[in-house]
Amino acid sequence: QGCAALTSLDVGSNDLGPRGARKLIQSLRSCTALTYLSLGGNGIGPEGAAKLKWMLRDCTQISFLGLWSNGIGAEAVHQHASAQRCAS
């Protein structure tokens, strides 16, 4: 934990996959000051995207969320963006 002051994180192009994304996302729930999160190029897939939606309920300050090249499709990205606007 201990990431309360973290405001920006770029872990793009690290091939995290769904399992790595799940672990990272679980640890980011306490990073409530996070405003920039780049997860592009990690192939998180639908499973990772589902966990991300769960994390966004706690991290309502995020103004940039990079999700390109993750195999989740445009509709899932749109749903995450919509959910984040509603949480803010």
Side-chain angles (χ1 to χ4, degrees):
Q1 312 324 10
C3 67
L6 182 68
T7 60
S8 179
L9 183 63
D10 185 343
V11 292
S13 301
N14 279 291
D15 294 320
L16 294 173
R19 188 174 186 194
R22 185 178 66 242
K23 290 179 185 257
L24 174 67
I25 289 165
Q26 286 172 341
S27 67
L28 291 177
R29 280 192 76 194
S30 61
C31 301
T32 55
L34 195 62
T35 60
Y36 179 100
L37 179 58
S38 179
L39 292 170
N42 281 295
I44 68 171
E47 179 186 339
K51 291 292 181 185
L52 182 62
K53 189 173 183 180
W54 172 72
M55 183 209 82
L56 289 173
R57 289 184 291 193
D58 295 323
C59 299
T60 59
Q61 300 301 312
I62 293 179
S63 59
F64 176 86
L65 180 60
L67 294 174
W68 59 92
S69 297
N70 274 299
I72 60 174
E75 181 60 29
V77 172
H78 177 71
Q79 287 176 0
H80 288 297
S82 296
Q84 185 59 23
R85 279 195 300 271
C86 291
S88 296

